[in-house]
Amino acid sequence: MIVDLPDTNTSKVSKALVKIREEGGAVALGRVLTLVIRTALGQEEDAIEAANDASREHPMRVIVVSTDADDGVKSGRGARLDAQIRVGGDAGASEVILLKAYGAAASDEEGLVTGLLLPDAPVVVWWPGDAPESPSTSDLGRIAQRRITDSSNSSNPNETLRRLSSNYSPGDTDFAWTRLTLWRAQLAAVLDQPPFEPVEAIEVSGASDSPSTLLLAAWLRHQLKVTVDYGISSRANGSSGIHGVKLSRSSGVIELERSVPNVATLVQPDQPLHDLALPRRSLRDCLAEELRRLDPDDLYGEVLTQGVLELGEPEPDPESASAPQTTTEVR
């Protein structure tokens, strides 16, 4: 069921929620958290779809805030708040409140959502697009236990990640880190097998539009205390995202390379080749994983604030400028 509330306010939205629960039997019981999604006008649906899918694992109230302080002036609407409530089949296992604020109504994001938060439930804020300079001190970040950004959607992903590093606060996380879960698990499993030799050198390669490459190099540097050489190339030299990792030990080189989307090849000394499934993780998978823990991710904090700083600048691929572009996206 979808209920539209044009030119409204948060008090009327709250009363409409109560009325829907009383008349339609929709209840807030069992909701484990409030997810606030801050996105741009017109870019709400992908985030809502991911939240609806994740809500089947984490029943929650979803509040989507999309604002444009200038749009009210350009369109002649002035200060205005349009709302929409989705429950039942249109909201997965959650209830979705979509708030579109224009003009001066967009100036107080915290005030827009405060009266709609579930009582005594954790608050998670997610920025699917551009994130604020300091998520923890932003209007919405101040009221949240967890703050999720996605640096891969910024115009300069690696620079955004370094900026987040300087403004990190416990409770922050980024989907560039969440997309590394399968890579980290596979590399850890390889090093848990004999021979148990120390890693002497590491090489990490990936595309310039993948902040996950930077985080993977920083994680390996932080955990293994070995100098990491990492290089970046444009998407012209292969698929977007992480391309591969080489771990050098005295017995030989372990190489995990993804030359085609979704599949990586594992090469180990005196071992047959192994093809492994390493697909790009969907927004739903990343969101559901981050919502499984509402305490600070200490390892991410250490990698972001220490491991990233320990790395030098990457070496660009000299061939990237002359190769044709590709549109494959894998992280």
Side-chain angles (χ1 to χ4, degrees), residues 127 131-139 141 163-164 167-169 172:
W127 291 270
E133 289 287 327
S134 177
S136 63
T137 60
S138 65
D139 283 352
R163 172 176 55 77
L164 292 173
N167 294 314
Y168 172 79
S169 180
D172 293 352

Side-chain angles (χ1 to χ4, degrees), residues 267-280:
V267 180
Q268 302 177 85
D270 303 321
Q271 295 284 338
L273 295 179
H274 295 282
D275 289 331
L276 308 173
L278 276 179
R280 171 177 166 80

Side-chain angles (χ1 to χ4, degrees), residues 60-77:
M60 56 189 165
R61 172 173 290 178
V62 179
I63 304 174
V64 183
V65 180
S66 56
T67 64
D68 191 334
D70 297 327
D71 191 72
V73 177
K74 294 177 182 178
S75 63
R77 294 172 179 164

Side-chain angles (χ1 to χ4, degrees), residues 16-323:
L17 280 171
V18 173
K19 184 177 179 181
I20 290 172
R21 288 198 295 268
E22 292 176 346
E23 296 181 354
V27 298
L29 297 177
R31 305 287 189 242
V32 298
L33 59 91
T34 301
L35 175 65
V36 180
I37 303 174
R38 172 65 174 90
T39 185
L41 285 168
Q43 300 179 10
E44 305 92 355
E45 293 304 325
D46 286 345
I48 292 175
E49 181 180 357
N52 287 346
D53 289 342
S55 71
R56 292 174 171 85
E57 182 177 339
H58 310 280
M60 56 189 165
R61 172 173 290 178
V62 179
I63 304 174
V64 183
V65 180
S66 56
T67 64
D68 191 334
D70 297 327
D71 191 72
V73 177
K74 294 177 182 178
S75 63
R77 294 172 179 164
R80 178 188 176 102
L81 175 66
D82 294 335
Q84 184 181 83
I85 300 174
R86 304 180 187 180
V87 295
D90 295 296
S94 65
E95 50 193 6
V96 177
I97 304 168
L98 176 58
L99 304 176
K100 296 184 178 181
Y102 306 90
S107 62
D108 184 9
E109 297 178 1
E110 181 179 351
L112 289 175
V113 304
T114 299
L116 302 174
L117 302 176
L118 289 174
D120 302 320
V123 177
V124 179
V125 178
W126 172 29
W127 291 270
D130 292 332
E133 289 287 327
S134 177
S136 63
T137 60
S138 65
D139 283 352
L140 295 177
R142 287 196 299 263
I143 63 175
Q145 283 74 39
R146 292 297 305 276
R147 297 164 293 276
I148 305 171
T149 55
D150 194 349
S151 54
S152 65
N153 288 328
S154 65
S155 57
N156 191 330
N158 287 336
E159 183 60 33
T160 298
L161 203 59
R162 293 183 185 276
R163 172 176 55 77
L164 292 173
S165 173
S166 62
N167 294 314
Y168 172 79
S169 180
D172 293 352
T173 193
D174 193 275
F175 277 165
W177 175 252
T178 319
R179 294 186 180 103
L180 286 181
T181 298
L182 300 179
W183 283 86
R184 292 167 52 215
Q186 188 58 55
L187 291 170
V190 168
L191 294 179
D192 279 342
Q193 301 174 9
F196 303 104
E197 301 171 337
V199 176
E200 300 171 350
I202 302 172
E203 295 180 26
V204 178
S205 60
S208 58
D209 64 346
S210 171
S212 296
T213 302
L214 173 61
L215 278 182
L216 180 59
W219 173 69
L220 290 169
R221 170 70 179 85
H222 183 71
Q223 295 295 97
L224 299 178
K225 310 302 180 185
V226 178
T227 301
V228 177
D229 293 327
Y230 78 105
I232 61 172
S233 63
S234 72
R235 291 166 60 178
N237 253 15
S239 64
S240 177
I242 301 170
H243 295 166
V245 179
K246 294 181 180 179
L247 307 176
S248 300
R249 301 191 295 189
S250 58
S251 60
V253 177
I254 299 170
E255 184 172 358
L256 184 62
E257 181 179 6
R258 184 169 59 185
S259 56
V260 297
N262 302 330
V263 179
T265 301
L266 176 62
V267 180
Q268 302 177 85
D270 303 321
Q271 295 284 338
L273 295 179
H274 295 282
D275 289 331
L276 308 173
L278 276 179
R280 171 177 166 80
R281 306 192 72 193
S282 66
L283 277 180
R284 183 267 176 209
D285 292 338
C286 291
L287 182 60
E289 178 178 325
E290 288 300 337
L291 295 180
R292 289 181 195 129
R293 59 178 302 167
L294 297 178
D295 58 317
D297 189 338
D298 294 332
L299 179 57
Y300 167 74
E302 292 175 5
V303 171
L304 185 68
T305 59
Q306 300 176 30
V308 169
L309 296 178
E310 292 169 352
L311 288 174
E313 290 297 322
E315 296 183 4
D317 189 334
E319 299 179 3
S320 62
S322 59

